[in-house]
Amino acid sequence: MPKLKQLKEKRASVYSQIDELRKAADGREMTAEEQARWDTLLADYTKADKAVEAEERFVEIHRKQAETVSQRTEGVNAEDEYRSAFRDYLLHGAQGISAEQRAIFESRDTLQGLSAGVLIPSTLASSIEKALKSYGGMFEAGSIITTSNGGDLIMPTINDTSAKATIVAEYAQSSKRTPSFGSVTLKAFTYRTPIIPVSQELLQDSAFNLDTLLSELLVESFGRGINEHLTTGSGSGQPKGIVTAATASAAEAAATAISLDNLLDLIKGVDSSYAKNGKFMFNRNTLFALAKIKDNEGRYIWQDGTRTGAPSTLFGKNYVINDDMADIGAGNASVLFGDLSKYKIRMVKNFRVIRLNELLAEYLSVGLFGFARVDGTLLDAGTHPVQKLVHAKS
């Protein structure tokens, strides 16, 4: 049996146990033994879910690699030549490679040359983008806009929702109305990873996959820093996070809990034009708290999709896990709902990898770090596409 199928079946088995236990409790307080088992099962589900995500990511990488291999004719030798040229570049710098190796770099569409020691390995750029989507909820939920330079990007908005057609008598003059125009400006904040030392001995290992090494080393730094700001950034000297930009729901939740009514009010507060594409966003701790909530018919609002192959939902709406969202707690905004694609993530070109020759020379190593220029904000023309559930302060 394929490993992914086994992992999914294991996750589904844990879910079945969770479902069985909460049905057995049937709204009453759990005993100490049941609560302990409940907590263990939730932890087991999280572990199983992460294992499935990791295996799905591997399967996707394996599929892409297999497609690449199957499409090669002379491509195998070409890829070997590219990796050899890339390794020589890391070892010796831009001046230490041959004209033939430079031509190999410049033949790649995603390379921007070797000036100032900056280059973009094509497989590195794609693998970092893929990994960011699986690491940070904002890259999964938001819309990414890529620009060729870092100048201010002005996003126009318009609100004409109050305009309605009216009956006008024959030969009477039509009314006039000017729509409300506005704009949002996206800048380009530079994010840098910490410098990573890579030894000359490691670089000289001809069998080592440098693209994979770099993507694994750099991706978590990007994911942590960028996703945090895209979620809760203040908008002053950093992106305006979706939580900061979202409009608060009309009704507060209790300081330490979420009720069914709170979620219904949150959905109700979002206009139908946005709600039809609406998704929830919250962290994993909040997900498992919501797993205990029932509707008025005694049905759990969390519907796990592992047995049907469909995404898991709340009220039939998909959700995005973003662990930079706050937990349920006094004064926190723990849940978002609305058209999350209205959050725009602006990226300038793509990620870059910088090679530092002298900084770590005494350690027989080169320094590598990555940087990206990013900004983000929620486009809101006045009708609030995303709302947040805020808890009372006490």
Side-chain angles (χ1 to χ4, degrees):
M1 182 184 296
K3 183 177 179 181
L4 181 57
K5 184 177 180 181
Q6 289 180 328
L7 291 172
K8 285 185 175 180
E9 288 181 353
K10 182 178 179 181
R11 182 177 65 178
S13 174
V14 176
Y15 170 75
S16 296
Q17 295 177 67
I18 293 174
D19 195 38
E20 180 182 347
L21 179 57
R22 66 181 180 177
K23 287 178 180 177
D26 195 25
R28 63 174 170 77
E29 288 293 324
M30 291 184 179
T31 65
E33 182 179 350
E34 287 174 330
Q35 186 64 51
R37 184 163 179 263
W38 174 266
D39 293 339
T40 299
L41 286 173
L42 293 185
D44 289 345
Y45 185 90
T46 299
K47 183 178 179 181
D49 194 39
K50 288 182 177 179
V52 169
E53 289 179 358
E55 185 64 18
E56 285 176 337
R57 180 183 170 196
F58 170 77
V59 169
E60 178 65 14
I61 292 172
H62 179 74
R63 182 188 65 77
K64 289 184 177 180
Q65 185 65 20
E67 288 178 356
T68 302
V69 172
S70 67
Q71 293 169 359
R72 287 178 182 171
T73 52
E74 297 177 356
V76 173
N77 291 334
E79 190 67 18
D80 288 343
E81 289 175 355
Y82 164 67
R83 292 190 182 281
S84 176
F86 184 37
R87 185 174 296 106
D88 285 348
Y89 166 77
L90 291 176
L91 282 167
H92 309 298
Q95 304 306 315
I97 62 174
S98 66
E100 291 79 7
Q101 289 174 323
R102 183 180 294 273
I104 291 172
F105 282 129
E106 293 175 350
S107 69
R108 302 256 173 161
D109 292 341
T110 53
L111 288 176
Q112 305 299 318
L114 301 176
S115 60
V118 179
L119 80 164
I120 313 170
S122 59
T123 53
L124 173 62
S126 62
S127 63
I128 287 183
E129 180 185 356
K130 176 70 169 65
L132 272 175
K133 287 182 179 178
S134 64
Y135 180 90
M138 291 309 301
F139 277 84
E140 178 185 346
S143 300
I144 300 175
I145 302 169
T146 302
T147 60
S148 59
N149 60 65
D152 286 357
L153 178 63
I154 299 175
M155 305 287 291
T157 62
I158 182 171
N159 185 349
D160 197 32
T161 54
S162 62
K164 296 180 181 179
T166 59
I167 297 173
V168 180
E170 188 176 5
Y171 300 117
Q173 185 179 25
S174 296
S175 62
K176 300 179 180 65
R177 184 182 183 281
T178 302
S180 176
F181 290 92
S183 65
V184 174
T185 301
L186 287 170
K187 296 187 175 295
F189 301 106
T190 300
Y191 287 81
R192 300 183 187 179
T193 68
I195 296 172
I196 300 169
V198 182
S199 70
Q200 296 282 356
E201 293 89 343
L202 183 60
L203 295 175
Q204 289 173 344
D205 182 357
S206 60
F208 203 88
N209 187 330
L210 289 172
D211 289 358
T212 300
L213 164 68
L214 293 177
S215 63
E216 291 296 332
L217 292 176
L218 298 177
V219 66
E220 288 194 3
S221 294
F222 277 123
R224 290 191 186 100
I226 297 175
N227 193 76
E228 179 183 0
H229 284 170
L230 296 181
T231 305
T232 59
S234 66
S236 177
Q238 58 185 242
K240 190 171 187 178
I242 191 169
V243 175
T244 308
T247 302
S249 177
E252 282 188 333
T256 58
I258 295 175
S259 70
L260 176 64
D261 287 349
N262 293 148
L263 296 177
L264 293 174
D265 287 339
L266 181 62
I267 297 173
K268 178 185 175 183
V270 176
D271 188 272
S272 298
S273 60
Y274 297 124
K276 66 182 179 182
N277 297 319
K279 294 181 180 180
F280 290 97
M281 178 177 281
F282 38 68
N283 67 26
R284 287 182 180 272
N285 292 334
T286 302
L287 169 63
F288 290 120
L290 297 177
K292 296 183 178 182
I293 299 179
K294 295 181 181 180
D295 64 17
N296 293 333
E297 303 297 324
R299 298 168 299 193
Y300 290 97
I301 63 172
W302 177 45
Q303 298 298 319
D304 184 83
T306 54
R307 288 175 290 186
T308 63
S312 300
T313 62
L314 289 172
F315 298 112
K317 297 293 185 180
N318 294 340
Y319 58 80
V320 176
I321 297 296
N322 181 351
D323 284 331
D324 283 311
M325 289 279 295
D327 287 335
I328 295 171
N332 292 345
S334 64
V335 182
L336 298 176
F337 178 76
D339 187 350
L340 303 181
S341 69
K342 294 300 180 181
Y343 190 86
K344 304 300 179 181
I345 302 170
R346 187 266 183 99
M347 298 186 66
V348 179
K349 294 184 178 178
N350 213 314
F351 294 96
R352 294 289 199 272
V353 179
I354 308 297
R355 176 183 183 274
L356 304 174
N357 297 325
E358 304 299 332
L359 181 65
L360 302 170
E362 63 180 303
Y363 300 102
L364 200 59
S365 298
V366 295
L368 300 173
F369 73 92
F371 78 91
R373 300 174 70 193
V374 183
D375 195 9
T377 194
L378 180 66
L379 286 189
D380 185 350
T383 51
H384 314 316
V386 178
Q387 295 204 12
K388 57 189 174 184
L389 180 62
V390 181
H391 294 267
K393 294 183 178 180
S394 59

